[in-house]
Structures are given as structure tokens and as C-alpha cells.
Amino acid sequence: MDSLAILIDFGSTFTKVTAVDMAQAEVVGRSQAPSTVLTDVREGLLQGLRDLHARHGIFSHAPRDIGDLDGHLIRASSSAAGGLRIVVVGNVPGLTVEAANQAALGAGAKIVGSSAFKLTDGKIKEVEALKPDMILLTGGVDGGDQETILHNARVLAQSNVAVPIVVGGNRAAVEEVVGILKRGGKEIRVVDNVMPKAGKLAVESAREAIRELFMERITQAKGLDALRGMVPVVLPTPMAVIEGVRLGADGTGDEKGCGDLLLVDVGGATTDVHSIGYGHPAGENVIAQGLAEPYAKRTVEGDLGIRFNAATIVARLGLDKLVNDLKQDFPGCSVASDQLGGYIDQVGRITSTVPQEPWHIAADAVLARNAVDLAVDRHVGRRERIVAREGEAWVHYGKDMRDTHTLIGTGGVFVHNQNAAYILKQQPTLDDRVQPLRPRDPNLYLDKSYVLYAVGLLAESRPSVALKLFQRYVTQVG
């Protein structure tokens, strides 16, 4: 098949393979095999390719080695071995640190540490112990404070940190910062200031540098260098998903996309939320506060997962609420508190637990729905009612996504749980004074084929094919 694309995602647990007929913009086969990143990544990939051929007859013969993929378009993403681990160092938590967080998250990174103000001896030891893949060093608007970023550069230069440092701070200090770090023997990439003016984000340059470093260096550290020259790993998996939903929202030069959207990815350990749209405050008597939000935004809620972090959802909401949700929404599956508590404890300890009873399936749906609710509320902006001299007004913080008409669910629970539409439907807001600015009445869609990473991998080189895949395989429910 001359127009065949093989799109691979190297995950920590599974290596997933999607075969696409680009002439028809059609998925012609999928498979997965246990990842073998810690030994030889090619073993897991070859098993996935052989399974793909056995199921769908994709190739002329079962692949014997990676070289058998010659002649096909090959692209890959990776979140293996913990994904792309970044430590962010900046000035002020709500300003340059937050700007740096947006740059790193938008590049598909996992932020394993974040430091504001001047690094101390104790803090730099914490950074060294985290063993990140790279550091994003920011601080100061252009023409503003220089001393903090210079101090932090000196501390990093004298540290045992041996990973690339991306510098995206006050332009007036950058030359001196680079000199300090070079004398310390550090590898440096200079990008645009992530916050050139107070309240203004400029994260695209940093995102691109992080992506390039991922391709150049991080794939080697994750055991993927064995594929050099054969399987180009072009993006961290979360960034591939971001690029996929961005194409779906924006469309191509020839065809429109679906417009602003929100994507929720529910996993065992985290719940990720992506939004595409400017989210400017809407309505009358609105007072905007806080940082401007990036058009393409990603947040990672590390305490909201329906396996590893199921107990955290209980801690956040209380077991009684989950018991009541189960009773109200699934009357035939109502169970006592100790039963539900025991099941949640089990899935947290034995994360491979598969539901055995109908009420287990319902309990997973309740957990997932509450994870979605909490994660979306944290991702979108909020508005607070105030009474001013001129009358009642609303203070807006963050993205206003109320008029967003597309809400997409992705992740295993949406594939395997029959209550996917229920999981995506939002619960009512109880506080009338403080309201999350989440979609009011969105159309619900599912990525049941786990195609979004593949869409993202094709978005740059084959945008029209990628958009057709998005439109065909992200399907409406409910």
C-alpha cells in the first residue's frame, strides 16, 4: 500500500501502532504490544507490527525487522519512561513561573518541579535529585528585574545539573546569563522571553525549542536511540495530542475545523485537559484579571486519576458524595459505603484491576465523572460576582469557555466504559457567587479509536489527511 502511514506511540506500558491509508484518510489497522523501552525498544515495536499484520494483513509479509517499514511514512511520539520531565525556574509564581509552566505543558512536558524567586542550596539539591530531562529558566519582563535570573544562573552553573537549560527570560540579562552558564559547562538554548511584558505570554519559541531538544536528546535518554534513522520520534505524546486537537479546531487553509474545543484525557494517575480557543471574557459588566491565557492550553491534574489516585478523589470530595452519586445516577448499582470504599482502595493498590461486577463499572464512571468535573473546573477560568459603586459586576480570571460547543473525551475509560456520555456530562455548579467558566451546553464527542496522537503526528506534513481522520474518528455521543 503505497500511501500507508505507520504512526507509533511509545508509552511506558504499551507501544501502540496505527496504520492509515492516506489516500482514503482511513485507519486500516491498530495494534499494541507491551513496551520494551528498558531493554530494546525495537522488540515491543516489532511485536506490535507483527500483530498489526496478523490482524489486518497490512504488509506484504510479517515484519522481521524495522527495515521492513521502508517505503512507508513513519512517525512516532513518546511518553515512555515518564515522558519529558522538566523543572521550571522563574521569578514570581503567578507570573513568569506560570508563563514557563504554560510553555512546558504546551510542549507536552511533565513538570516535575517548579521554583520561584532565588534558588537556595536546598532547592538546587531538590532539582538535582529530581533528575529532569531539561530545565526552563525564566525570570523578569524585558527591561525589568535582572538579579533573580542572574542569581539562578549562577546557582545552576555551579550545580551538578547536567541537562540542557532553556533560557527564556529578561532579554537585558540573557547575554550575561548565557555567559555564566557556559562557563559552568552547561548546554544552553536561548528562546524568546516567555513573558516580555507584564501579563503577556509569548511561549511559542520556548515550546519549539523544548520540542527540538526532545527530538535531539531526550529520545536517546529514553532508550529510543536504537531507532535513529528508521523511526523518527518527532513529538512527546501530549504535544502530538495538542497538535491533533488544534488541527481539528482550526482546520486547514482549505477546510474549516470545528472551532473552539475542550479535550479531557482521563488516566489512571492524571487527568489532562486541553483547550483550543482564546477564551476572552464575554458578557456585560466584566472586569478581566490575571494573565492572558494561551490559545492552545494544557493542564495536568496529577492528583486526579481513577486508579493510582482514586483515593485522592475520595479525599477531595468525600466518600459520601460518591456513594450518593452512585445511588442517584445508577439506582440498580447502589452499594454501601464500605463496599465502594473497599473497591476504590483496591483499584488504587492494584491498578490493573478490571471491573468484575456491573456496579464496579458504574463506580468507575462515577470516579471518572468527578475527575473530569474537578479537572475542567481547574483548567477553565472562573468569575466572581462583586458589587461595585456602579452596580453589580463580574470579575473574570482565566479562559471563558462557556460558548465552547465541542467537548471531547479520550482515554481508556471512554473506550471500555459503557457510560462515556455520562462521564462527560458536567455536574451543576452549586456556588452562584463563584462560577467556573466551563462549556454551558457542549456537544459530546469521544476519541474511541485513540486516533488523536496519530492526527497530531500527521498534522504538519499531511494536514488534509489528518483533519479527515479527526472528523471521521472523533465521534459524537449522548
Side-chain angles (χ1 to χ4, degrees), residues 293-306:
E293 296 277 349
Y295 177 70
K297 177 182 176 182
R298 169 178 171 243
T299 52
V300 179
E301 304 305 335
D303 61 333
L304 300 177
I306 61 171

Side-chain angles (χ1 to χ4, degrees), residues 215-377:
M215 290 189 291
E216 294 172 13
R217 293 282 305 277
I218 306 310
T219 53
Q220 299 176 34
K222 303 303 182 187
L224 301 175
D225 53 324
L227 300 172
R228 185 183 297 275
M230 296 178 287
V231 178
V233 180
V234 296
L235 292 173
T237 302
M239 191 173 185
V241 173
I242 291 171
E243 293 302 313
V245 293
R246 185 165 186 165
L247 179 73
D250 294 346
T252 66
D254 299 320
E255 188 171 358
K256 289 184 178 180
C258 66
D260 292 359
L261 62 79
L262 202 67
L263 169 77
V264 184
D265 184 351
V266 179
T270 70
T271 296
D272 296 9
V273 183
H274 305 72
S275 62
I276 307 297
Y278 290 109
H280 295 313
E284 297 181 356
N285 300 322
V286 170
I287 304 168
Q289 294 290 327
L291 287 177
E293 296 277 349
Y295 177 70
K297 177 182 176 182
R298 169 178 171 243
T299 52
V300 179
E301 304 305 335
D303 61 333
L304 300 177
I306 61 171
R307 286 297 182 263
F308 292 95
N309 286 318
T312 308
I313 299 175
V314 178
R316 294 280 180 191
L317 300 173
L319 184 59
D320 287 348
K321 181 187 186 307
L322 301 179
V323 170
N324 290 336
D325 286 354
L326 191 62
K327 180 179 180 180
Q328 177 179 312
D329 300 332
F330 300 94
C333 297
S334 178
V335 296
S337 294
D338 59 342
Q339 286 180 283
L340 181 58
Y343 178 71
I344 292 173
D345 178 67
Q346 177 184 334
V347 301
R349 288 183 294 104
I350 308 170
T351 57
S352 59
T353 296
V354 175
Q356 299 298 317
E357 304 288 343
W359 75 265
H360 292 166
I361 297 171
D364 280 355
V366 167
L367 281 170
R369 187 186 191 191
N370 280 283
V372 167
D373 230 44
L374 288 168
V376 169
D377 279 4

Side-chain angles (χ1 to χ4, degrees), residues 19-168:
V20 171
D21 177 354
M22 292 188 293
Q24 301 299 320
E26 180 181 3
V27 174
V28 292
R30 303 180 193 86
S31 70
Q32 67 178 32
S35 291
T36 53
V37 174
L38 298 179
T39 53
D40 186 338
V41 69
R42 291 171 294 190
E43 295 173 6
L45 175 56
L46 277 172
Q47 185 59 55
L49 292 169
R50 289 171 185 144
D51 289 351
L52 183 71
H53 180 71
R55 291 183 185 184
H56 306 286
I58 295 295
F59 309 106
S60 58
H61 61 271
R64 292 181 291 269
D65 57 51
I66 306 301
D68 288 345
L69 297 178
D70 282 350
H72 304 305
L73 178 68
I74 313 297
R75 294 287 185 274
S77 61
S78 175
S79 59
L84 178 59
R85 295 163 52 85
I86 288 186
V87 166
V88 168
V89 178
N91 273 22
V92 181
L95 296 174
T96 51
V97 172
E98 178 56 26
N101 286 342
Q102 290 297 338
L105 288 168
K110 177 180 181 180
I111 298 175
V112 295
S114 183
S115 177
F117 310 117
K118 293 182 178 180
L119 286 168
T120 62
D121 291 342
K123 193 65 180 181
I124 198 63
K125 285 183 171 59
E126 290 179 18
V127 172
E128 291 169 349
L130 287 168
K131 298 181 179 179
D133 295 314
M134 67 180 73
I135 291 173
L136 178 54
L137 174 61
T138 67
V141 298
D142 289 341
D145 172 45
Q146 298 183 37
E147 182 51 38
T148 301
I149 193 172
L150 289 170
H151 168 88
N152 290 340
R154 294 185 197 103
V155 174
L156 286 167
Q158 296 167 10
S159 73
N160 294 322
V161 168
V163 297
I165 299 174
V166 178
V167 179

Side-chain angles (χ1 to χ4, degrees), residues 418-431:
Q418 64 201 42
N419 305 296
Y422 163 84
I423 294 169
L424 279 180
K425 287 179 180 175
Q426 299 166 87
Q427 302 179 61
T429 301
L430 300 178
D431 188 344

